[in-house]
Amino acid sequence: MEKLRIGLIGLGTVGTGVYKSLKDFDNIEIVKIAVKNINKPRSIEISQNILTDNPYEIVNDSSIDVVVELIGGVEPAWSYIKTAIENGKHIVTANKELLAKKGEELFNLSEKHNRVVLYEAAIAGGIPIIMPIKTILAGNKISKIQAILNGTTNYILTKMDTDGASYEDVLKEAQALGYAETDPTGDVEGFDAAYKITTLGTIAFNSRIKFENVYREGITKIRKEDMKNANELGYKIKLIATATIDENNNSDVRVHPMLVSKKNMLAHIDYVTNAVAMSGHPIGDIVLSGPGAGEFPTASSVIGDILAIAREWKTTDYLLPMMRCHHHKISNPININDTYNKYYLSITAPNAIGVIAKIGTTCANKNVSLANIMQKCATDKNVAEITVITEKCLEKDIKEVIAELDNCQINSLLRVM
Amino acid sequence: MEKLRIGLIGLGTVGTGVYKSLKDFDNIEIVKIAVKNINKPRSIEISQNILTDNPYEIVNDSSIDVVVELIGGVEPAWSYIKTAIENGKHIVTANKELLAKKGEELFNLSEKHNRVVLYEAAIAGGIPIIMPIKTILAGNKISKIQAILNGTTNYILTKMDTDGASYEDVLKEAQALGYAETDPTGDVEGFDAAYKITTLGTIAFNSRIKFENVYREGITKIRKEDMKNANELGYKIKLIATATIDENNNSDVRVHPMLVSKKNMLAHIDYVTNAVAMSGHPIGDIVLSGPGAGEFPTASSVIGDILAIAREWKTTDYLLPMMRCHHHKISNPININDTYNKYYLSITAPNAIGVIAKIGTTCANKNVSLANIMQKCATDKNVAEITVITEKCLEKDIKEVIAELDNCQINSLLRVM
């Protein structure tokens, strides 16, 4: 049997998981691995002969069929992948940032060279989502995605909720445990989730979403008081990546914290678990959940992609249409100010007398209906602590309400699912 | 473009959904539909020319490429499918009973004739599960499945829980709403879920499970008191289909009610929703949930299978290995008496004095450890109502405990997840 020859770029956590797991498959051979430092001690036994510190020895090696890229980031990964495709190699990657920022160029290039780029591991780690969308769900028109795509922020929000702790304290703990990086920006400001929803929306809607059009808010301003208020009202706070598309190819794609009703399954996705809820026709609503990161779950997806190529590379002279990613159509982004949402507002008002009336009137004047309003005794008798949940209204309008409530302190403005 | 020619057997709920949804695909043509009564009025406009009341006009029609069987049951479906495969047709089916009882013959026959049998719709309706197992999860060793695979029983148990109602009352309501059939046996006695876990276990474990070896208990004996007790202890009661396999190919496959901790996502799968939790290496734990039945969700899976064939039937001279179902290995069933489980026991004891001691001693003598014991005041002062949760112990042992507690009335014995 002719073996499928793999070149691996990157031997970190995921790369090591892939290496360990691929040893069980006798139709696949890892022939070369590019690492930063050949002499670094490693947790696995590996022949020095197959290590190189020059990735071009992989992407230019004519004996290699598939390049597996696991280093992340746009450059130098993009240069390696470009060369590899031009040299006739198929690509398996877990690089969500590259896909989000260079997806269009990447898939045009792979199409031109008749090669496939598979990336199950880039979105939601081990959860099977990309391949199902391309295959068994292919008969569906998917119109909405609501997902928890970042394990670090979900861990932080879960701990803030269960421990009643502040964002800062939980972040420190998460960093100590290795769940958050020293510079946590990519996770806590929503970049990571935004990369993923860019690509997930594109493949699900069959219409390209541009990363620069994805609205993004992180979790750093969530207060423990918001967690408490949300709980009392029957919600959890989660960092949600959403994408919707209408029949005229207008897309609304964003990452921001949301109050999620405890009746919704996403409210019960805790710690580092990820989940993707999708709505489409004819299928209706489905939810897929599982480990969003980690050595082995991510390796599962990388290996699934490699095996898909291994099954097909010799049976057809070109690989299957389902493995491709044609998105010549580009969706029209809707500005966040023109979207309709329910809102949660936490307000500290300077004087309790008449304040509810003022809030009510201001909202009514801007077409904002209130679903729920809760006033609590504050420690300081001269102020009132007020929590408001609105009905669905225009983002522009709620912003005008806030501008007009200039004698109040707006502690938080969050959207409600 | 040469169209893929489909013959449809059965035009009930799912068949109608498939017919409606397939009209959007210009590479697929439904050329003939077999129905019981050609002249029956229908909710869809359909040309009389393509209707027939003789399914053999489909399975013997040399112009048809794929037969979609949607009538259910072993016969006459099996005769139609057999003839169709012998005549060189690929099969798409939603027939869980046929797969469970004739799977081995069916896949041997399809292999002999180099034809594929796809059946995503037979297991968990719209949830993408079979194709993911065959493709993106193919690198995994799946060792455990815990699933809610029957919408009718999940609806009944959810309503019993939320309304505090009895099984009999909820069943009547479910029948009136069309969620349960006039003869509900197939659902409430667990046959439907047992058919599905037979096939799901087989494909996930890559080792055939025989339907006759699946242990099965229904939900008809669940009392509203059990629901209440379970809730107080932090559980929900669900009809769970489980399948596990060990490294020596010994399988433990069953369908029975279980107490499921509220911390487990399966406890939150309500009404007619289905869910499949799977554990494997390297992936870890994933949960897929969605609509388990219904016109459109089931049609989504049937269409996904048809599109998979449509993509490939002309690109290779034989269809892809991933679409096949080779299970020449047969797993060894473990008898339920030899399995280890946690148990919930509801006991009415004749005399309160010394009864806890008696239960404790009897359990201890049979190596059954107690995790939780709760005694409540009964209306009748001469009896004690006792609820017990055990640690994991041998089924044989708990049965001996029950036999020895001959002066007590055992109201319920349920397993705990």
Side-chain angles (χ1 to χ4, degrees), chain A residues 126 136 139-140 265 282-283 285-287 289 291 296 300 304-305 307 311-312 316 318 320 322, chain B residues 126 136 139-140 265 282-283 285-287 289 291 296-297 300 304-305 307 311-312 315-316 320 322:
Chain A
I136 196 68
N140 282 274
M265 227 195 302
I283 196 168
D285 301 321
I286 59 171
V287 182
S289 71
F296 286 116
S300 163
D305 282 344
L307 291 176
R311 272 190 306 264
E312 311 199 1
T316 53
Y318 64 101
L320 293 177
M322 73 168 168
Chain B
I136 195 67
N140 282 274
M265 229 196 301
I283 196 167
D285 301 322
I286 59 171
V287 182
S289 71
F296 286 116
S300 163
D305 281 345
L307 291 177
R311 273 190 305 265
E312 310 199 2
T315 62
T316 52
L320 293 177
M322 73 167 169

mmCIF file of all heavy atoms in Angstrom, chain A residues 126 136 139-140 265 282-283 285-287 289 291 296 300 304-305 307 311-312 316 318 320 322, chain B residues 126 136 139-140 265 282-283 285-287 289 291 296-297 300 304-305 307 311-312 315-316 320 322:
data_model
loop_
_atom_site.group_PDB
_atom_site.id
_atom_site.type_symbol
_atom_site.label_atom_id
_atom_site.label_comp_id
_atom_site.label_asym_id
_atom_site.label_seq_id
_atom_site.Cartn_x
_atom_site.Cartn_y
_atom_site.Cartn_z
ATOM 1 N N GLY A 126 -12.329 19.873 18.956
ATOM 2 C CA GLY A 126 -12.712 18.512 18.611
ATOM 3 C C GLY A 126 -14.132 18.360 18.099
ATOM 4 O O GLY A 126 -14.497 17.313 17.574
ATOM 5 N N ILE A 136 -23.209 15.983 5.473
ATOM 6 C CA ILE A 136 -24.556 15.512 5.788
ATOM 7 C C ILE A 136 -25.557 16.657 5.949
ATOM 8 O O ILE A 136 -26.759 16.462 5.796
ATOM 9 C CB ILE A 136 -24.519 14.584 7.035
ATOM 10 C CG1 ILE A 136 -25.814 13.775 7.145
ATOM 11 C CG2 ILE A 136 -24.242 15.332 8.316
ATOM 12 C CD1 ILE A 136 -25.997 12.754 6.072
ATOM 13 N N GLY A 139 -27.666 19.731 2.432
ATOM 14 C CA GLY A 139 -28.979 20.046 1.872
ATOM 15 C C GLY A 139 -29.687 21.171 2.598
ATOM 16 O O GLY A 139 -30.798 21.538 2.237
ATOM 17 N N ASN A 140 -29.062 21.706 3.629
ATOM 18 C CA ASN A 140 -29.712 22.736 4.446
ATOM 19 C C ASN A 140 -29.314 24.150 4.062
ATOM 20 O O ASN A 140 -28.204 24.395 3.594
ATOM 21 C CB ASN A 140 -29.326 22.534 5.926
ATOM 22 C CG ASN A 140 -30.119 21.413 6.559
ATOM 23 O OD1 ASN A 140 -31.217 21.621 7.035
ATOM 24 N ND2 ASN A 140 -29.560 20.204 6.531
ATOM 25 N N MET A 265 -29.694 25.813 26.087
ATOM 26 C CA MET A 265 -28.619 24.871 26.396
ATOM 27 C C MET A 265 -27.259 25.549 26.504
ATOM 28 O O MET A 265 -26.399 25.106 27.267
ATOM 29 C CB MET A 265 -28.569 23.779 25.349
ATOM 30 C CG MET A 265 -28.464 22.405 26.014
ATOM 31 S SD MET A 265 -27.987 21.125 24.890
ATOM 32 C CE MET A 265 -29.267 21.241 23.685
ATOM 33 N N PRO A 282 -33.912 22.248 6.000
ATOM 34 C CA PRO A 282 -35.021 21.712 6.791
ATOM 35 C C PRO A 282 -34.665 21.241 8.196
ATOM 36 O O PRO A 282 -35.560 20.827 8.932
ATOM 37 C CB PRO A 282 -35.472 20.500 5.956
ATOM 38 C CG PRO A 282 -34.274 20.061 5.198
ATOM 39 C CD PRO A 282 -33.442 21.287 4.970
ATOM 40 N N ILE A 283 -33.450 21.335 8.657
ATOM 41 C CA ILE A 283 -33.099 20.596 9.867
ATOM 42 C C ILE A 283 -33.727 21.124 11.149
ATOM 43 O O ILE A 283 -34.015 20.374 12.060
ATOM 44 C CB ILE A 283 -31.558 20.500 10.037
ATOM 45 C CG1 ILE A 283 -31.242 19.399 11.054
ATOM 46 C CG2 ILE A 283 -30.939 21.830 10.451
ATOM 47 C CD1 ILE A 283 -29.831 18.988 11.121
ATOM 48 N N ASP A 285 -33.245 23.155 14.634
ATOM 49 C CA ASP A 285 -32.169 23.585 15.535
ATOM 50 C C ASP A 285 -31.336 22.407 16.023
ATOM 51 O O ASP A 285 -31.888 21.436 16.524
ATOM 52 C CB ASP A 285 -32.764 24.276 16.773
ATOM 53 C CG ASP A 285 -33.606 25.487 16.379
ATOM 54 O OD1 ASP A 285 -33.199 26.200 15.449
ATOM 55 O OD2 ASP A 285 -34.678 25.687 16.989
ATOM 56 N N ILE A 286 -30.028 22.536 15.913
ATOM 57 C CA ILE A 286 -29.162 21.516 16.504
ATOM 58 C C ILE A 286 -28.088 22.196 17.351
ATOM 59 O O ILE A 286 -27.769 23.366 17.139
ATOM 60 C CB ILE A 286 -28.491 20.589 15.462
ATOM 61 C CG1 ILE A 286 -27.633 21.391 14.470
ATOM 62 C CG2 ILE A 286 -29.524 19.779 14.709
ATOM 63 C CD1 ILE A 286 -26.784 20.498 13.577
ATOM 64 N N VAL A 287 -27.563 21.461 18.314
ATOM 65 C CA VAL A 287 -26.469 21.956 19.156
ATOM 66 C C VAL A 287 -25.391 20.887 19.210
ATOM 67 O O VAL A 287 -25.673 19.733 19.525
ATOM 68 C CB VAL A 287 -26.935 22.274 20.594
ATOM 69 C CG1 VAL A 287 -25.776 22.834 21.417
ATOM 70 C CG2 VAL A 287 -28.099 23.253 20.608
ATOM 71 N N SER A 289 -21.692 20.055 20.980
ATOM 72 C CA SER A 289 -20.799 20.558 22.017
ATOM 73 C C SER A 289 -19.682 19.574 22.302
ATOM 74 O O SER A 289 -19.795 18.383 22.023
ATOM 75 C CB SER A 289 -21.585 20.853 23.297
ATOM 76 O OG SER A 289 -21.983 19.646 23.891
ATOM 77 N N PRO A 291 -15.082 19.403 23.603
ATOM 78 C CA PRO A 291 -13.863 20.114 23.986
ATOM 79 C C PRO A 291 -13.407 21.041 22.870
ATOM 80 O O PRO A 291 -13.228 20.614 21.734
ATOM 81 C CB PRO A 291 -12.856 18.993 24.222
ATOM 82 C CG PRO A 291 -13.363 17.837 23.432
ATOM 83 C CD PRO A 291 -14.851 17.969 23.362
ATOM 84 N N PHE A 296 -5.451 16.381 22.638
ATOM 85 C CA PHE A 296 -6.100 15.258 21.974
ATOM 86 C C PHE A 296 -7.358 15.624 21.192
ATOM 87 O O PHE A 296 -7.524 15.177 20.059
ATOM 88 C CB PHE A 296 -6.347 14.129 22.971
ATOM 89 C CG PHE A 296 -5.082 13.410 23.320
ATOM 90 C CD1 PHE A 296 -4.576 13.416 24.609
ATOM 91 C CD2 PHE A 296 -4.371 12.732 22.337
ATOM 92 C CE1 PHE A 296 -3.396 12.767 24.918
ATOM 93 C CE2 PHE A 296 -3.187 12.069 22.635
ATOM 94 C CZ PHE A 296 -2.693 12.090 23.929
ATOM 95 N N SER A 300 -7.814 15.021 17.229
ATOM 96 C CA SER A 300 -8.900 14.229 16.628
ATOM 97 C C SER A 300 -9.364 14.856 15.323
ATOM 98 O O SER A 300 -9.557 14.172 14.322
ATOM 99 C CB SER A 300 -10.078 14.118 17.610
ATOM 100 O OG SER A 300 -11.256 13.712 16.942
ATOM 101 N N GLY A 304 -8.891 13.468 11.584
ATOM 102 C CA GLY A 304 -10.084 13.274 10.751
ATOM 103 C C GLY A 304 -9.880 13.857 9.356
ATOM 104 O O GLY A 304 -10.240 13.242 8.350
ATOM 105 N N ASP A 305 -9.289 15.038 9.300
ATOM 106 C CA ASP A 305 -9.017 15.668 8.001
ATOM 107 C C ASP A 305 -7.969 14.895 7.200
ATOM 108 O O ASP A 305 -8.115 14.704 5.989
ATOM 109 C CB ASP A 305 -8.533 17.117 8.206
ATOM 110 C CG ASP A 305 -9.676 18.081 8.514
ATOM 111 O OD1 ASP A 305 -10.845 17.722 8.282
ATOM 112 O OD2 ASP A 305 -9.401 19.202 8.977
ATOM 113 N N LEU A 307 -7.278 11.727 7.437
ATOM 114 C CA LEU A 307 -7.876 10.471 6.979
ATOM 115 C C LEU A 307 -8.812 10.695 5.788
ATOM 116 O O LEU A 307 -8.907 9.849 4.900
ATOM 117 C CB LEU A 307 -8.649 9.791 8.120
ATOM 118 C CG LEU A 307 -7.792 9.239 9.261
ATOM 119 C CD1 LEU A 307 -8.691 8.673 10.360
ATOM 120 C CD2 LEU A 307 -6.838 8.152 8.757
ATOM 121 N N ARG A 311 -8.248 8.656 2.360
ATOM 122 C CA ARG A 311 -9.249 7.799 1.730
ATOM 123 C C ARG A 311 -9.402 8.099 0.253
ATOM 124 O O ARG A 311 -9.784 7.256 -0.529
ATOM 125 C CB ARG A 311 -10.621 8.042 2.374
ATOM 126 C CG ARG A 311 -10.897 7.202 3.590
ATOM 127 C CD ARG A 311 -12.346 7.351 3.987
ATOM 128 N NE ARG A 311 -12.707 8.743 4.173
ATOM 129 C CZ ARG A 311 -12.712 9.363 5.348
ATOM 130 N NH1 ARG A 311 -12.399 8.703 6.437
ATOM 131 N NH2 ARG A 311 -13.048 10.618 5.438
ATOM 132 N N GLU A 312 -9.170 9.337 -0.136
ATOM 133 C CA GLU A 312 -9.597 9.758 -1.461
ATOM 134 C C GLU A 312 -8.487 10.079 -2.440
ATOM 135 O O GLU A 312 -8.727 10.124 -3.632
ATOM 136 C CB GLU A 312 -10.501 10.994 -1.316
ATOM 137 C CG GLU A 312 -11.569 10.747 -0.273
ATOM 138 C CD GLU A 312 -12.754 11.680 -0.381
ATOM 139 O OE1 GLU A 312 -12.763 12.522 -1.294
ATOM 140 O OE2 GLU A 312 -13.660 11.541 0.436
ATOM 141 N N THR A 316 -9.551 9.120 -6.892
ATOM 142 C CA THR A 316 -10.019 10.033 -7.939
ATOM 143 C C THR A 316 -8.827 10.853 -8.385
ATOM 144 O O THR A 316 -7.883 11.030 -7.642
ATOM 145 C CB THR A 316 -11.071 11.017 -7.390
ATOM 146 O OG1 THR A 316 -10.531 11.645 -6.243
ATOM 147 C CG2 THR A 316 -12.352 10.309 -7.045
ATOM 148 N N TYR A 318 -9.099 13.968 -9.015
ATOM 149 C CA TYR A 318 -9.197 15.215 -8.270
ATOM 150 C C TYR A 318 -10.016 14.931 -7.016
ATOM 151 O O TYR A 318 -10.843 14.028 -7.008
ATOM 152 C CB TYR A 318 -9.832 16.330 -9.093
ATOM 153 C CG TYR A 318 -11.256 16.095 -9.484
ATOM 154 C CD1 TYR A 318 -12.288 16.722 -8.784
ATOM 155 C CD2 TYR A 318 -11.584 15.249 -10.540
ATOM 156 C CE1 TYR A 318 -13.600 16.513 -9.151
ATOM 157 C CE2 TYR A 318 -12.901 15.036 -10.895
ATOM 158 C CZ TYR A 318 -13.904 15.666 -10.199
ATOM 159 O OH TYR A 318 -15.200 15.453 -10.547
ATOM 160 N N LEU A 320 -12.698 15.419 -3.857
ATOM 161 C CA LEU A 320 -14.139 15.584 -3.966
ATOM 162 C C LEU A 320 -14.617 17.013 -3.769
ATOM 163 O O LEU A 320 -14.052 17.761 -2.977
ATOM 164 C CB LEU A 320 -14.798 14.693 -2.936
ATOM 165 C CG LEU A 320 -14.599 13.225 -3.260
ATOM 166 C CD1 LEU A 320 -15.200 12.409 -2.171
ATOM 167 C CD2 LEU A 320 -15.228 12.913 -4.592
ATOM 168 N N MET A 322 -16.982 18.070 -2.094
ATOM 169 C CA MET A 322 -17.378 18.381 -0.718
ATOM 170 C C MET A 322 -16.199 18.837 0.129
ATOM 171 O O MET A 322 -16.376 19.436 1.171
ATOM 172 C CB MET A 322 -18.027 17.176 -0.065
ATOM 173 C CG MET A 322 -17.064 16.075 0.284
ATOM 174 S SD MET A 322 -17.875 14.886 1.341
ATOM 175 C CE MET A 322 -16.674 13.560 1.310
ATOM 176 N N GLY B 126 -32.589 14.309 12.709
ATOM 177 C CA GLY B 126 -31.795 15.310 12.015
ATOM 178 C C GLY B 126 -30.377 15.462 12.529
ATOM 179 O O GLY B 126 -29.543 16.110 11.889
ATOM 180 N N ILE B 136 -15.136 12.526 9.936
ATOM 181 C CA ILE B 136 -14.229 13.383 10.698
ATOM 182 C C ILE B 136 -13.835 12.753 12.038
ATOM 183 O O ILE B 136 -12.799 13.098 12.607
ATOM 184 C CB ILE B 136 -14.834 14.803 10.863
ATOM 185 C CG1 ILE B 136 -13.777 15.795 11.308
ATOM 186 C CG2 ILE B 136 -16.007 14.820 11.811
ATOM 187 C CD1 ILE B 136 -12.714 16.070 10.292
ATOM 188 N N GLY B 139 -10.732 8.814 13.074
ATOM 189 C CA GLY B 139 -9.469 8.541 13.756
ATOM 190 C C GLY B 139 -9.643 8.194 15.224
ATOM 191 O O GLY B 139 -8.665 7.956 15.929
ATOM 192 N N ASN B 140 -10.876 8.173 15.701
ATOM 193 C CA ASN B 140 -11.130 7.932 17.117
ATOM 194 C C ASN B 140 -11.490 6.480 17.419
ATOM 195 O O ASN B 140 -12.066 5.788 16.596
ATOM 196 C CB ASN B 140 -12.303 8.801 17.592
ATOM 197 C CG ASN B 140 -11.871 10.229 17.822
ATOM 198 O OD1 ASN B 140 -11.388 10.554 18.895
ATOM 199 N ND2 ASN B 140 -11.992 11.074 16.811
ATOM 200 N N MET B 265 -25.424 17.188 30.809
ATOM 201 C CA MET B 265 -26.219 17.881 29.789
ATOM 202 C C MET B 265 -27.448 17.086 29.368
ATOM 203 O O MET B 265 -28.463 17.666 28.996
ATOM 204 C CB MET B 265 -25.348 18.194 28.580
ATOM 205 C CG MET B 265 -25.512 19.660 28.162
ATOM 206 S SD MET B 265 -24.913 19.970 26.540
ATOM 207 C CE MET B 265 -23.228 19.494 26.675
ATOM 208 N N PRO B 282 -8.862 10.076 20.360
ATOM 209 C CA PRO B 282 -8.416 11.188 21.212
ATOM 210 C C PRO B 282 -9.471 12.251 21.518
ATOM 211 O O PRO B 282 -9.156 13.190 22.257
ATOM 212 C CB PRO B 282 -7.289 11.810 20.385
ATOM 213 C CG PRO B 282 -7.601 11.516 18.974
ATOM 214 C CD PRO B 282 -8.344 10.213 18.967
ATOM 215 N N ILE B 283 -10.678 12.150 21.051
ATOM 216 C CA ILE B 283 -11.553 13.329 21.105
ATOM 217 C C ILE B 283 -12.001 13.731 22.503
ATOM 218 O O ILE B 283 -12.188 14.911 22.798
ATOM 219 C CB ILE B 283 -12.770 13.162 20.177
ATOM 220 C CG1 ILE B 283 -13.426 14.528 19.958
ATOM 221 C CG2 ILE B 283 -13.774 12.168 20.746
ATOM 222 C CD1 ILE B 283 -14.416 14.605 18.871
ATOM 223 N N ASP B 285 -14.999 13.888 25.245
ATOM 224 C CA ASP B 285 -16.460 13.786 25.307
ATOM 225 C C ASP B 285 -17.122 14.824 24.411
ATOM 226 O O ASP B 285 -16.829 16.009 24.516
ATOM 227 C CB ASP B 285 -16.946 14.033 26.743
ATOM 228 C CG ASP B 285 -16.331 13.036 27.713
ATOM 229 O OD1 ASP B 285 -16.191 11.860 27.328
ATOM 230 O OD2 ASP B 285 -15.973 13.442 28.834
ATOM 231 N N ILE B 286 -18.049 14.385 23.585
ATOM 232 C CA ILE B 286 -18.844 15.342 22.820
ATOM 233 C C ILE B 286 -20.327 15.015 22.985
ATOM 234 O O ILE B 286 -20.692 13.882 23.305
ATOM 235 C CB ILE B 286 -18.487 15.381 21.314
ATOM 236 C CG1 ILE B 286 -18.686 14.003 20.660
ATOM 237 C CG2 ILE B 286 -17.061 15.842 21.102
ATOM 238 C CD1 ILE B 286 -18.553 14.048 19.142
ATOM 239 N N VAL B 287 -21.171 16.021 22.798
ATOM 240 C CA VAL B 287 -22.619 15.830 22.846
ATOM 241 C C VAL B 287 -23.225 16.503 21.618
ATOM 242 O O VAL B 287 -22.962 17.670 21.357
ATOM 243 C CB VAL B 287 -23.249 16.458 24.111
ATOM 244 C CG1 VAL B 287 -24.756 16.183 24.141
ATOM 245 C CG2 VAL B 287 -22.594 15.922 25.374
ATOM 246 N N SER B 289 -26.912 17.328 19.826
ATOM 247 C CA SER B 289 -28.343 17.283 20.112
ATOM 248 C C SER B 289 -29.142 17.993 19.042
ATOM 249 O O SER B 289 -28.615 18.840 18.321
ATOM 250 C CB SER B 289 -28.624 17.904 21.476
ATOM 251 O OG SER B 289 -28.438 19.292 21.408
ATOM 252 N N PRO B 291 -33.347 17.808 16.773
ATOM 253 C CA PRO B 291 -34.654 17.174 16.615
ATOM 254 C C PRO B 291 -34.503 15.713 16.196
ATOM 255 O O PRO B 291 -33.831 15.419 15.219
ATOM 256 C CB PRO B 291 -35.315 18.002 15.509
ATOM 257 C CG PRO B 291 -34.187 18.616 14.754
ATOM 258 C CD PRO B 291 -33.057 18.787 15.711
ATOM 259 N N PHE B 296 -39.269 17.617 8.525
ATOM 260 C CA PHE B 296 -38.127 18.317 7.954
ATOM 261 C C PHE B 296 -36.772 17.873 8.511
ATOM 262 O O PHE B 296 -35.840 17.672 7.743
ATOM 263 C CB PHE B 296 -38.324 19.826 8.055
ATOM 264 C CG PHE B 296 -39.327 20.332 7.070
ATOM 265 C CD1 PHE B 296 -40.517 20.901 7.479
ATOM 266 C CD2 PHE B 296 -39.089 20.196 5.708
ATOM 267 C CE1 PHE B 296 -41.456 21.336 6.545
ATOM 268 C CE2 PHE B 296 -40.012 20.627 4.762
ATOM 269 C CZ PHE B 296 -41.202 21.202 5.187
ATOM 270 N N PRO B 297 -36.629 17.731 9.846
ATOM 271 C CA PRO B 297 -35.331 17.285 10.339
ATOM 272 C C PRO B 297 -34.916 15.941 9.750
ATOM 273 O O PRO B 297 -33.765 15.757 9.337
ATOM 274 C CB PRO B 297 -35.545 17.182 11.846
ATOM 275 C CG PRO B 297 -36.657 18.124 12.140
ATOM 276 C CD PRO B 297 -37.562 18.058 10.945
ATOM 277 N N SER B 300 -33.811 16.326 6.267
ATOM 278 C CA SER B 300 -32.453 16.875 6.187
ATOM 279 C C SER B 300 -31.421 15.758 6.087
ATOM 280 O O SER B 300 -30.488 15.815 5.280
ATOM 281 C CB SER B 300 -32.168 17.748 7.422
ATOM 282 O OG SER B 300 -30.785 17.971 7.570
ATOM 283 N N GLY B 304 -29.113 14.749 2.960
ATOM 284 C CA GLY B 304 -27.659 14.711 3.146
ATOM 285 C C GLY B 304 -27.065 13.440 2.558
ATOM 286 O O GLY B 304 -26.027 13.472 1.887
ATOM 287 N N ASP B 305 -27.735 12.314 2.790
ATOM 288 C CA ASP B 305 -27.255 11.036 2.245
ATOM 289 C C ASP B 305 -27.360 11.005 0.716
ATOM 290 O O ASP B 305 -26.449 10.533 0.027
ATOM 291 C CB ASP B 305 -28.064 9.881 2.836
ATOM 292 C CG ASP B 305 -27.621 9.509 4.248
ATOM 293 O OD1 ASP B 305 -26.524 9.928 4.668
ATOM 294 O OD2 ASP B 305 -28.377 8.778 4.932
ATOM 295 N N LEU B 307 -27.325 13.553 -1.319
ATOM 296 C CA LEU B 307 -26.307 14.456 -1.875
ATOM 297 C C LEU B 307 -24.914 13.826 -1.825
ATOM 298 O O LEU B 307 -24.099 14.048 -2.716
ATOM 299 C CB LEU B 307 -26.304 15.795 -1.122
ATOM 300 C CG LEU B 307 -27.534 16.681 -1.323
ATOM 301 C CD1 LEU B 307 -27.420 17.935 -0.455
ATOM 302 C CD2 LEU B 307 -27.694 17.075 -2.791
ATOM 303 N N ARG B 311 -22.727 13.491 -5.170
ATOM 304 C CA ARG B 311 -21.396 14.069 -5.367
ATOM 305 C C ARG B 311 -20.415 13.059 -5.931
ATOM 306 O O ARG B 311 -19.454 13.417 -6.585
ATOM 307 C CB ARG B 311 -20.835 14.547 -4.016
ATOM 308 C CG ARG B 311 -21.216 15.935 -3.620
ATOM 309 C CD ARG B 311 -20.411 16.357 -2.410
ATOM 310 N NE ARG B 311 -20.561 15.414 -1.309
ATOM 311 C CZ ARG B 311 -21.421 15.551 -0.319
ATOM 312 N NH1 ARG B 311 -22.195 16.599 -0.257
ATOM 313 N NH2 ARG B 311 -21.499 14.652 0.622
ATOM 314 N N GLU B 312 -20.639 11.776 -5.631
ATOM 315 C CA GLU B 312 -19.567 10.815 -5.874
ATOM 316 C C GLU B 312 -19.850 9.776 -6.945
ATOM 317 O O GLU B 312 -18.930 9.156 -7.449
ATOM 318 C CB GLU B 312 -19.257 10.086 -4.555
ATOM 319 C CG GLU B 312 -19.068 11.085 -3.435
ATOM 320 C CD GLU B 312 -18.324 10.527 -2.248
ATOM 321 O OE1 GLU B 312 -17.914 9.363 -2.293
ATOM 322 O OE2 GLU B 312 -18.157 11.283 -1.282
ATOM 323 N N THR B 315 -17.800 10.305 -10.041
ATOM 324 C CA THR B 315 -16.395 10.680 -9.968
ATOM 325 C C THR B 315 -15.489 9.474 -9.749
ATOM 326 O O THR B 315 -14.309 9.549 -9.990
ATOM 327 C CB THR B 315 -16.125 11.693 -8.839
ATOM 328 O OG1 THR B 315 -16.458 11.066 -7.605
ATOM 329 C CG2 THR B 315 -16.936 12.949 -9.022
ATOM 330 N N THR B 316 -16.051 8.349 -9.289
ATOM 331 C CA THR B 316 -15.236 7.149 -9.093
ATOM 332 C C THR B 316 -16.025 5.976 -9.634
ATOM 333 O O THR B 316 -17.240 6.016 -9.706
ATOM 334 C CB THR B 316 -14.991 6.879 -7.596
ATOM 335 O OG1 THR B 316 -16.249 6.873 -6.945
ATOM 336 C CG2 THR B 316 -14.096 7.917 -6.992
ATOM 337 N N LEU B 320 -17.011 5.597 -2.202
ATOM 338 C CA LEU B 320 -15.905 5.720 -1.272
ATOM 339 C C LEU B 320 -15.976 4.787 -0.086
ATOM 340 O O LEU B 320 -17.054 4.483 0.416
ATOM 341 C CB LEU B 320 -15.859 7.146 -0.765
ATOM 342 C CG LEU B 320 -15.486 8.118 -1.867
ATOM 343 C CD1 LEU B 320 -15.536 9.509 -1.329
ATOM 344 C CD2 LEU B 320 -14.107 7.793 -2.381
ATOM 345 N N MET B 322 -15.506 5.348 2.934
ATOM 346 C CA MET B 322 -16.136 5.924 4.109
ATOM 347 C C MET B 322 -17.652 5.753 4.091
ATOM 348 O O MET B 322 -18.314 5.879 5.101
ATOM 349 C CB MET B 322 -15.803 7.400 4.230
ATOM 350 C CG MET B 322 -16.494 8.282 3.227
ATOM 351 S SD MET B 322 -16.327 10.013 3.699
ATOM 352 C CE MET B 322 -16.910 10.799 2.214
#
